[in-house]
Amino acid sequence: MKITGKSKVFGIIGWPVSHSLSPVFHNAAFDYLGLDCCYVPLPVEVGRLDVAIKAISALNIAGLNVTVPHKEGVIPYLSELSKEAMMIGAVNTIKVSGERLLGYNTDGIGFITSLHEAGQSVSGRSILILGAGGAARAVVFAAANGSAEKIIIANRTAGKAESLKEQVQKHFPSVKVEATGMGYDDLREVSNKVDMIINTTSLGLKQGDPSPVPREFLHRDLFVCDLIYNPPETELVRYAKDLCRGYMNGLGMLLHQGAASFKLWTDIKPPVHIMRQALQDALQQRPSSGRM
Ligand SMILES: NC(=O)c1ccc[n+]([C@@H]2O[C@H](COP(=O)([O-])OP(=O)(O)OC[C@H]3O[C@@H](n4cnc5c(N)ncnc54)[C@H](OP(=O)(O)O)[C@@H]3O)[C@@H](O)[C@H]2O)c1
């Protein structure tokens, strides 16, 4: 990749970010399209977000992705938020427009696009969403916006599921939303009422992690999504391969949230096939990280 005196700089801020695969596929896309742009990981410690954001315009940075732990903390520094970012309460993409910083969240559209690629849709579905963290918020709002029939949010800390349920109901009063805990009895109760399960918890990232849903609660009517992509097969995905009508991991969501950011920054159709190949190659070369 050739860097010139005029190269536009894009990047990702978070802590840590050294494991991020975003540089790999964004740089592959810039290279393929012959754009004089580059994308770099920018580690920003908690407590230094303020100086980092102020430096964006001083350093002429053209656009940023934002990852854990800054997705919420970045909001007060932005000039404007997209509808999705406002609803979700988190930003994963900053577009620089002159002196203005515009905040977007492409996680939801990334998830929905990857689901469509797998031949599935949330429309009319009864969906069990495990988790109530940042990723869950993006997926829950995308499912409600995509006309899911019913959404059940199950979280280890049940109070967080309840509070997410209330926020979704405020924006989408016609969607049925329930909240519950993630204990054995809670999941037994709800798993027969749904035809899709989406794991947005970090359970499965580490080797030896159990499935968040016991094997005996999976059935043939279920399509299972695990947002984890490294390892590519969690225990939940392994069970789903045997017992359910279909499954997908989080690789497609990672790819498509990135593709949507690319489009926002450049206004050019992203070369998704190149980005996917770069992602797959990079993942093959690195062991399971246990990282988000
Ligand atoms: N594919 C993608 O593009 C993509 C994008 C974003 C995130 N992700 C993945 O999504 C997962 C969550 O990310 P996040 O940003 O939402 O993190 P987060 O905000 O920290 O939320 C973590 C969630 O996982 C739950 N959890 C953590 N450890 C658990 C355990 N041992 N048992 C049960 N539940 C547990 C938490 O429950 P409590 O509330 O009870 O703590 C919370 O609901 C990660 O695996 C990440 O890699 C993938």
Side-chain angles (χ1 to χ4, degrees):
M1 152 171 245
K2 204 171 135 215
I3 305 287
T4 73
K6 290 184 182 164
S7 296
K8 279 191 182 178
V9 179
F10 295 84
I12 178 163
I13 57 169
W15 187 268
V17 282
S18 56
H19 65 286
S20 171
L21 291 167
S22 296
V24 170
F25 65 82
H26 281 295
N27 284 323
F30 291 143
D31 194 32
Y32 176 77
L33 294 172
L35 299 178
D36 189 4
C37 301
C38 65
Y39 185 109
V40 286
L42 298 165
V44 175
E45 268 179 274
V46 179
R48 308 213 67 195
L49 186 60
D50 183 53
V51 266
I53 297 291
K54 283 180 185 145
I56 294 176
S57 80
L59 293 172
N60 265 306
I61 288 173
L64 287 177
N65 280 129
V66 184
T67 188
V68 181
H70 300 311
K71 283 183 167 183
E72 293 91 15
V74 82
I75 288 180
Y77 301 101
L78 305 178
S79 327
E80 213 176 287
L81 289 184
S82 70
K83 196 179 84 198
E84 289 79 17
M86 214 170 327
M87 267 191 317
I88 297 165
V91 159
N92 79 334
T93 306
I94 299 175
K95 179 176 169 156
V96 182
S97 172
E99 288 295 309
R100 292 165 59 72
L101 301 179
L102 315 177
Y104 299 85
N105 193 308
T106 64
D107 283 335
I109 186 68
F111 173 73
I112 294 291
T113 308
S114 66
L115 195 61
H116 289 170
E117 257 184 4
Q120 301 295 316
S121 158
V122 291
S123 175
R125 293 277 176 211
S126 293
I127 308 173
L128 170 60
I129 297 179
L130 305 164
R137 297 179 63 81
V139 169
V140 166
F141 278 105
N145 192 41
S147 307
E149 160 83 14
K150 183 187 203 174
I151 297 170
I152 304 173
I153 306 165
N155 195 44
R156 180 175 62 177
T157 312
K160 278 169 71 182
E162 190 61 44
S163 126
L164 181 51
K165 169 192 145 178
E166 282 163 21
Q167 289 162 45
V168 180
Q169 277 180 327
K170 231 183 279 169
H171 289 277
F172 297 95
S174 62
V175 180
K176 290 175 223 150
V177 191
E178 292 175 16
T180 181
M182 239 181 79
Y184 188 89
D185 290 338
D186 301 310
L187 295 179
R188 176 178 37 213
E189 169 82 19
V190 295
S191 53
N192 269 326
K193 295 196 218 163
V194 295
D195 43 28
M196 187 178 287
I197 293 182
I198 307 171
N199 177 38
T200 79
T201 76
S202 34
L203 199 55
L205 272 178
K206 292 197 293 287
Q207 226 184 359
D209 271 356
S211 165
V213 183
R215 186 183 160 93
E216 58 271 32
F217 300 156
L218 298 180
H219 52 82
R220 268 288 149 216
D221 293 335
L222 283 170
F223 187 85
V224 170
C225 313
D226 199 328
L227 262 48
I228 294 171
Y229 52 85
N230 191 20
E233 276 193 15
T234 57
E235 190 77 337
L236 174 63
V237 165
R238 273 192 287 276
Y239 290 164
K241 261 174 132 172
D242 277 353
L243 301 167
C244 302
R245 68 185 166 85
Y247 62 92
M248 69 174 205
N249 72 11
L251 193 71
M253 175 174 171
L254 176 68
L255 170 70
H256 288 292
Q257 61 77 32
S261 301
F262 186 97
K263 178 80 168 64
L264 283 167
W265 295 324
T266 62
D267 216 14
I268 295 172
K269 188 168 175 255
V272 172
H273 63 297
I274 296 295
M275 297 167 91
R276 189 193 312 271
Q277 192 58 56
L279 198 48
Q280 282 167 346
D281 292 348
L283 270 173
Q284 257 174 16
Q285 284 162 22
R286 69 169 66 174
S288 169
S289 67
R291 279 271 172 74
M292 311 223 301

